[in-house]
């Protein structure tokens, strides 16, 4: 007769995960709940009064033309950032995966921008984009591609967003590359051997085997870049100041809270932004992510 | 598994309430009246936290500790970070320091929010006025309440590169705004410098202060004593000042790339000999940054001139840094002792770099006695011009202190002037948008 042994309760997994739970509850869950609750309040710092405001903070956020303007800017940041960084990440990861001379050095250089703080990057790129004596103008001028120095930032809204986002792409592509590379390295070599035996060429192998099998890595890379581009703050702030041409939704939230001292509206806007970016991430997950088992 | 989820959820909720309770308990730090002993050693053994954007002047602080027994935890934080810290900590009723940097621009806001202890009781106005000019104190006083104490003498001044002016054939320095404009055009047309004027057109605070200064140069003010806009009419000084700035940019007097430069970058333009003049810059660069061989290519070439106004010499706006005691401070008595020590003329002179440049954390001392000590010791470059400006024409930016919603107002000022310079809106549209922000204060 087979007797199933009683499963002994093991407390250690709970003990070990408890600090993490405390960390997440304290630094993520609790502030999120407080933000949500306070977003329904009208907090008047001048009269030191707090009144229930219903959904008026949400309504005034959505009806604020400067919020609408920065929301459109943010969508452009996301669109440019996610598309370009993901394509670059796939290209770089494939190159690194195949291997070449100097791979280690290339990898180290690739990771460098990721390690730099956003503000430091902003300062470096300020020097590059400077319309008086910047490196980009100087370089293009020396090649006789331009006849006078151009104003890369501030002059045109879309050009401003494009150049600011280039800086962020420079920063987020390394992490995306590492994520895609990790997926590539987990594909069994036997699959490629079988494809070669079946006469599959490079492109066919790439499209039919490699890309479908690295979808989990690509999905995570897209979500990572989506969250980062949606929350873009340092780069527009350092490169373009508080000018409306490049203002992002996070910059707008910062202004509402710290310049206008309108805390309820700021909380409502940041909560809306969090919901939005979460919904977009879930959408990407549902659309692209496929479980891969070998 | 379901039970486990419930346990985790309950634990999470309990922890949230626990943390929420912790947050509430900090409300007790709201503060009240400070009872301060006159004995400087009454607070010996306490450690106060001082938040400022310069590194600690170690020698002076150790002398303070020796004298009072009060230890100092000096927190060196960037200007922007201090501003964010004040707002977030004050909102959370959390302790963040006992003596904290208060910028002149937030005085109106702090008067209304009551985030700082009024200092009148510990520093009677009559006593202060014996050594600090009334105009300087006015920058930190709203409706009679001394929100913080000014700690230095930052005053806006006009800088010119006299070598460039001479090269263009200008033998006499401009005495009014029309002459100044004509001289800049002469420097431009003579080829000495194609873009001679440095104005920081980036959408940031320095653009707003340039406008306030130019409005004063046109003989007016930006806001009335009850914070109503005074610049909407095309004949008003504020309107003319904005028009002058936009024209200076569009006519190429200002380098095109200055649209993204802040004030510190424009100081660098002066030092690197990229521009020949700065209409509005903070005092103290001569003998410092502009004459430092490692930073500057124009050593000995830059001088102050009386700020050119439409009818001769214009006012020099006074915008000092200050120290305040937050309502949430833990050691308010010790903080008052620190401020009393800080305002003694010897300490003021020492902290302005007299005898030891390593101790230099103040542009110029706020104490008149200390200022005279430095002038006598020949420690201030072009002291005669500067002291004359301070004594005859310095005045606060806003006569009744900055408006409570100054940050919001200033944001409207700099974003709209920036857009007008780029031609994204007209001067009139910029003026109307700024006026709307002023009216909503």
């Amino acid at each position: 007769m087979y007797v199933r042994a009683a499963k002994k309760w093991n407390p250690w997994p709970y003990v070990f995960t408890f600090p993490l739970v405390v960390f997440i509850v304290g630094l993520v869950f609790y502030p999120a709940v407080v933000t949500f609750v306070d977003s329904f309040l009208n907090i008047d710092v001048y009269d030191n009064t707090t009144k229930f405001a219903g959904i008026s903070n949400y309504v005034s956020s959505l009806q604020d033309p400067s919020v609408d303007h920065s929301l459109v800017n943010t969508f452009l940041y996301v669109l440019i950032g996610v598309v370009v960084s993901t394509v670059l990440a796939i290209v770089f990861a494939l190159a690194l995966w195949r291997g070449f001379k100097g791979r280690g050095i290339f990898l180290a250089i690739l990771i460098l921008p990721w390690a730099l703080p956003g503000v430091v990057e902003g300062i470096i790129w300020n020097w590059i984009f400077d319309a008086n004596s910047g490196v980009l103008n100087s370089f293009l001028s020396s090649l006789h591609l331009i006849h006078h120095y151009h104003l890369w930032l501030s002059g045109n809204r879309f050009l401003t967003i494009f150049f600011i986002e280039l800086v962020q792409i420079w920063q987020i592509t390394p992490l995306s590359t590492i994520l895609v590379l990790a997926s590539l390295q987990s594909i069994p070599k036997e699959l490629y051997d079988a494809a070669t035996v079946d006469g599959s060429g490079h492109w066919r192998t790439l499209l039919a085997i490699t890309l479908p099998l690295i979808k989990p890595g690509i999905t995570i890379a897209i979500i990572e870049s989506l969250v980062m581009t949606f929350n873009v703050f340092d780069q527009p702030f350092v490169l373009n100041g508080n000018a409306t041409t490049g203002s992002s939704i996070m910059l707008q939230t910062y202004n509402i809270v710290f310049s206008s001292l309108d805390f309820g509206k700021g909380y409502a806007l940041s909560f809306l932004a969090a919901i939005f970016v979460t919904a977009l991430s879930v959408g990407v997950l549902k659309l692209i992510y496929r479980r891969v088992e070998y | 598994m379901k039970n486990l989820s419930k346990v985790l959820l309950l634990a999470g909720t309990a922890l949230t309430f626990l943390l929420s309770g912790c947050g509430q308990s900090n409300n007790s730090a709201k503060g009240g009246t400070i009872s301060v002993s006159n004995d400087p050693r009454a607070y010996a053994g306490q450690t106060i936290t001082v938040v400022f954007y310069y590194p600690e002047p170690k020698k002076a602080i150790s002398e303070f500790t020796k004298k009072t027994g009060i230890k100092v935890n000096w927190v060196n934080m960037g200007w922007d970070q201090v501003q964010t810290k004040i707002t977030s900590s004050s909102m959370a009723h959390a302790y963040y320091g006992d003596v904290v940097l208060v910028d002149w621009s937030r005085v109106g806001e702090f008067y209304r929010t009551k985030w700082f202890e009024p200092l009148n009781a510990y520093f009677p106005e009559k006593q202060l006025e014996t050594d600090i000019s009334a105009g300087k104190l006015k920058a930190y006083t709203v409706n009679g309440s001394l929100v913080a104490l000014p700690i230095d003498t930052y005053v806006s001044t006009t800088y010119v590169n006299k070598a460039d002016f001479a090269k263009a054939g200008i033998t006499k320095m401009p005495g009014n705004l029309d002459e100044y404009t004509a001289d800049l055009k002469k420097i431009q047309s003579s080829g000495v410098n194609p873009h001679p004027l440095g104005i920081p057109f980036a959408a940031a605070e320095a653009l707003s202060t340039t406008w306030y200064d130019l409005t004063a140069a046109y003989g007016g003010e930006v806001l009335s004593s009850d914070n109503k806009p005074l610049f909407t009419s095309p004949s008003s000084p504020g309107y003319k000042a904005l028009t002058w700035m936009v024209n200076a940019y569009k006519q190429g007097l200002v380098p095109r790339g200055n649209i993204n430069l802040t004030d510190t970058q424009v100081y660098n333009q002066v030092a690197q000999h990229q521009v020949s003049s700065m209409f509005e810059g903070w005092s103290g660069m001569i003998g410092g940054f502009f004459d430092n061989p490692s930073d500057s290519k124009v050593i000995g070439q830059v001088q102050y001139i009386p700020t050119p106004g439409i009818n001769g010499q214009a006012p020099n706006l006074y915008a000092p840094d200050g120290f305040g005691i937050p309502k949430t401070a833990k050691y308010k008595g010790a903080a008052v002792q620190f401020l009393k020590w800080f305002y003694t003329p010897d300490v003021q002179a020492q902290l302005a770099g007299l005898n030891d440049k390593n101790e230099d954390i103040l542009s110029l001392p706020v104490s008149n006695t200390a200022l005279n000590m430095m002038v006598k010791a020949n420690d201030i470059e072009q002291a005669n011009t500067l002291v004359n400006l301070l004594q005859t024409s310095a005045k606060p930016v806003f006569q009744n202190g900055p408006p409570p919603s100054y940050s919001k107002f200033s944001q409207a000022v700099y974003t709209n002037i920036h857009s007008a310079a780029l031609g994204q809106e007209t001067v009139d549209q910029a003026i109307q948008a700024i006026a709307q922000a002023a009216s909503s204060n």
Side-chain angles (χ1 to χ4, degrees), chain B residues 202-283:
Chain B
E205 179 64 27
L207 184 55
S208 301
T209 50
T210 306
W211 182 53
Y212 308 149
D213 266 290
L214 266 156
T215 302
Y218 270 97
E221 285 175 25
V222 170
L223 298 176
S224 64
S225 57
D226 57 347
N227 296 323
K228 295 283 179 290
L230 296 173
F231 48 84
T232 49
S233 159
S235 61
S236 64
Y239 200 108
K240 286 178 183 168
L242 207 153
T243 309
W244 188 92
M245 289 170 73
V246 170
N247 286 342
Y249 182 76
K250 287 186 174 169
Q251 290 167 2
L253 286 177
V254 180
R256 201 158 170 248
N258 279 37
I259 200 73
N260 283 316
L261 298 194
T262 60
D263 52 349
T264 49
Q265 290 166 306
V266 176
Y267 291 129
N268 200 44
Q269 282 187 309
V270 176
Q272 293 303 311
H273 204 182
Q274 291 163 358
V275 294
S276 307
S277 179
M278 200 172 170
F279 179 81
E280 187 255 13
W282 299 117
S283 52

Side-chain angles (χ1 to χ4, degrees), chain A residues 42-110:
Chain A
N42 181 9
I43 303 162
D44 189 332
V45 289
Y46 299 125
D47 295 334
N48 205 10
T49 55
T50 302
K51 288 177 193 155
F52 181 67
I55 58 164
S56 66
N57 286 324
Y58 288 89
V59 174
S60 73
S61 292
L62 295 171
Q63 287 177 343
D64 185 339
S66 55
V67 169
D68 295 346
H69 183 91
S70 57
L71 197 60
V72 173
N73 285 356
T74 305
F75 278 124
L76 291 169
Y77 282 124
V78 171
L79 188 70
I80 299 166
V82 171
V83 171
V84 178
S85 72
T86 307
V87 170
L88 282 176
I90 294 169
V91 172
F92 288 153
L94 283 169
L96 285 164
W97 179 54
R98 283 171 197 276
F100 54 88
K101 205 175 173 185
R103 180 182 184 270
I105 296 167
F106 180 77
L107 195 61
I109 293 170
L110 188 75

Side-chain angles (χ1 to χ4, degrees), chain A residues 2-285:
Chain A
Y2 174 76
V3 180
R4 193 179 167 190
K7 201 175 178 184
K8 199 178 168 187
W9 187 71
N10 181 3
W12 291 112
Y14 306 107
V15 171
F16 287 128
T17 52
F18 184 71
L20 184 67
V21 171
V22 171
F23 186 81
I24 291 171
V25 169
L27 294 180
V28 180
F29 182 68
Y30 173 69
V33 170
V34 171
T35 304
F36 180 67
V37 171
D38 285 0
S39 69
F40 294 100
L41 302 176
N42 181 9
I43 303 162
D44 189 332
V45 289
Y46 299 125
D47 295 334
N48 205 10
T49 55
T50 302
K51 288 177 193 155
F52 181 67
I55 58 164
S56 66
N57 286 324
Y58 288 89
V59 174
S60 73
S61 292
L62 295 171
Q63 287 177 343
D64 185 339
S66 55
V67 169
D68 295 346
H69 183 91
S70 57
L71 197 60
V72 173
N73 285 356
T74 305
F75 278 124
L76 291 169
Y77 282 124
V78 171
L79 188 70
I80 299 166
V82 171
V83 171
V84 178
S85 72
T86 307
V87 170
L88 282 176
I90 294 169
V91 172
F92 288 153
L94 283 169
L96 285 164
W97 179 54
R98 283 171 197 276
F100 54 88
K101 205 175 173 185
R103 180 182 184 270
I105 296 167
F106 180 77
L107 195 61
I109 293 170
L110 188 75
I111 289 171
L112 195 65
W114 182 36
L116 286 173
V119 174
V120 175
E121 286 181 325
I123 292 165
I124 294 170
W125 283 87
N126 231 329
W127 174 65
I128 293 171
F129 289 142
D130 182 10
N132 290 330
S133 53
V135 174
L136 183 59
N137 270 319
S138 173
F139 177 69
L140 294 175
S141 181
S142 66
L143 295 176
H144 301 288
L145 291 172
I146 55 172
H147 300 296
H148 62 269
Y149 278 22
H150 283 268
L151 199 60
W152 305 110
L153 301 170
S154 292
N156 174 288
R157 182 184 180 186
F158 298 102
L159 212 58
T160 302
I161 290 169
F162 175 75
F163 280 113
I164 291 174
E165 190 47 41
L166 271 190
V167 179
Q168 202 186 26
I169 288 166
W170 182 68
Q171 188 184 27
I172 61 181
T173 302
L175 180 59
S176 299
T177 305
I178 301 295
L179 290 167
V180 177
L181 183 63
S183 280
L184 278 168
Q185 286 174 334
S186 64
I187 301 173
K189 194 173 172 294
E190 292 78 20
L191 287 175
Y192 290 101
D193 293 339
T196 308
V197 169
D198 289 345
S200 172
H202 281 304
W203 282 109
R204 178 113 184 102
T205 305
L206 177 71
L207 296 174
I209 297 176
T210 309
L211 287 180
L213 293 179
I214 59 170
K215 269 188 177 177
I218 292 173
T219 311
I220 303 300
I222 289 175
I223 291 173
E224 174 259 340
S225 54
L226 195 150
V227 172
M228 289 187 81
T229 51
F230 198 90
N231 291 327
V232 65
F233 179 93
D234 294 341
Q235 292 84 358
F237 189 67
V238 175
L239 291 168
N240 202 38
N242 232 331
T244 50
T245 39
S247 175
S248 68
I249 201 75
M250 283 302 128
L251 200 56
Q252 199 58 37
T253 309
Y254 177 86
N255 286 333
I256 289 169
V257 172
F258 289 101
S259 289
S260 304
L261 298 182
D262 194 344
F263 289 87
K265 186 175 167 183
Y267 293 149
L269 191 56
S270 53
F271 202 77
L272 282 176
I275 290 174
F276 214 83
V277 80
T278 307
L280 275 176
S281 301
V282 171
V284 169
L285 204 64

Side-chain angles (χ1 to χ4, degrees), chain B residues 8-255:
Chain B
L8 284 175
L9 191 66
L10 276 172
T13 313
L15 198 64
T16 305
F17 280 110
L18 193 68
L19 286 168
S20 160
C22 292
Q24 293 299 319
S25 70
N26 279 342
N27 282 342
S28 61
K30 272 182 181 173
T33 325
I34 321 169
S35 147
V36 178
S37 167
N38 284 327
D39 175 11
R41 293 200 68 85
Y43 304 97
Q46 291 187 356
T47 302
I48 57 165
T49 296
V50 177
V51 181
F52 197 53
Y53 60 77
Y54 266 114
E56 178 182 350
K58 289 192 173 146
K59 214 165 96 187
I61 293 298
S62 89
E63 283 164 14
F64 168 71
T65 303
K66 209 168 150 188
K67 188 180 168 194
T68 61
I70 299 166
K71 292 175 197 153
V72 175
N73 170 32
W74 189 279
V75 178
N76 183 203
M77 205 184 262
W79 188 93
D80 287 325
Q81 283 88 344
V82 178
Q83 307 315 314
T84 312
K85 187 81 186 162
I86 292 171
T87 304
S88 52
S89 299
S90 299
M91 279 302 288
H93 306 295
Y95 171 70
Y96 60 101
D98 301 286
V99 175
V100 176
L101 164 77
V102 173
D103 189 68
W104 69 273
S105 64
R106 299 191 76 187
V107 169
E109 183 182 314
F110 295 156
Y111 167 73
R112 285 282 306 274
T113 55
K114 298 180 178 69
W115 287 345
F116 282 81
E117 290 287 353
L119 297 175
N120 308 60
Y122 322 104
F123 299 92
E125 201 177 326
K126 280 189 179 166
Q127 195 183 320
L128 285 173
E129 278 183 1
T130 57
D131 202 33
I132 301 174
S133 311
K136 296 174 191 174
L137 288 172
K138 212 173 175 185
Y140 278 85
T141 309
V142 184
N143 294 334
S145 177
L146 188 62
V147 177
L149 282 166
I151 57 169
D152 60 14
T153 299
Y154 261 114
V155 67
S156 66
T157 46
T158 301
Y159 289 110
V160 295
N161 184 315
K162 57 188 177 192
D164 281 0
F165 274 61
K167 252 189 238 169
I170 301 161
T171 50
K172 185 176 155 276
M173 283 299 154
N176 61 47
L177 195 57
D178 288 340
E179 286 176 15
Y180 180 67
T181 313
D183 287 349
L184 290 173
K185 285 181 178 168
K186 197 169 179 187
I187 293 170
Q188 185 183 41
S189 60
S190 64
V192 173
N193 191 331
H195 311 289
L197 177 61
I199 291 182
F201 267 102
E205 179 64 27
L207 184 55
S208 301
T209 50
T210 306
W211 182 53
Y212 308 149
D213 266 290
L214 266 156
T215 302
Y218 270 97
E221 285 175 25
V222 170
L223 298 176
S224 64
S225 57
D226 57 347
N227 296 323
K228 295 283 179 290
L230 296 173
F231 48 84
T232 49
S233 159
S235 61
S236 64
Y239 200 108
K240 286 178 183 168
L242 207 153
T243 309
W244 188 92
M245 289 170 73
V246 170
N247 286 342
Y249 182 76
K250 287 186 174 169
Q251 290 167 2
L253 286 177
V254 180

